[in-house]
Amino acid sequence: MASTTTEENGPSIYMQPEMSSSFQARQRLEGLLNKNMRIRMTDGRTLVGLFLCTDRDCNVILGSAQEFLKSTDMFSQAEPRVLGLAMIPGHHIISIEVEADSLADTQGYRGSH
């Protein structure tokens, strides 16, 4: 809901934070902090780690990240490479998935409060 006020420079519109879509998007994003994410990249690699932060350019920082290379055949399961802290440029991200057990923990947490 917007309210209009008159100031020296003319009328201005203030959005109540709980109603703005950017506030809701921020709340959803904050709810994903420290959840396990799987990010597929344009070069075929997949990174799995804890979602720590993002920025306006959609770059993502993962903590405790592991890198999985694109397998050439279905039966080769190589060991993941441990990266630790990793920054993934937004323009290289194909998809982001939040692991189901992380979401279940979030929903359980919300339900208890």
Side-chain angles (χ1 to χ4, degrees), residues 8-88:
E8 293 176 17
N9 298 332
S12 49
I13 297 175
Y14 293 116
M15 295 296 289
Q16 294 178 357
E18 65 273 10
M19 297 296 177
S20 73
S21 62
S22 63
F23 181 79
Q24 290 173 349
R26 183 183 173 117
Q27 289 295 99
R28 289 185 83 188
L29 200 55
E30 285 177 358
L32 297 175
L33 289 173
N34 297 314
K35 303 297 179 227
N36 284 321
M37 290 195 161
R38 177 179 313 272
I39 298 179
R40 286 191 321 127
M41 297 173 50
T42 55
D43 62 2
R45 293 180 294 162
T46 300
L47 299 181
V48 177
L50 294 176
F51 174 60
L52 297 180
C53 66
T54 187
D55 61 14
R56 292 178 191 257
D57 297 324
C58 298
N59 300 315
V60 174
I61 304 287
L62 292 181
S64 304
Q66 295 181 336
E67 175 188 60
F68 295 86
L69 298 178
K70 183 178 179 180
S71 62
T72 53
D73 63 41
M74 291 176 26
F75 300 106
S76 68
Q77 291 294 328
E79 288 291 315
R81 185 172 88 160
V82 176
L83 300 177
L85 193 63
M87 191 280 283
I88 302 101

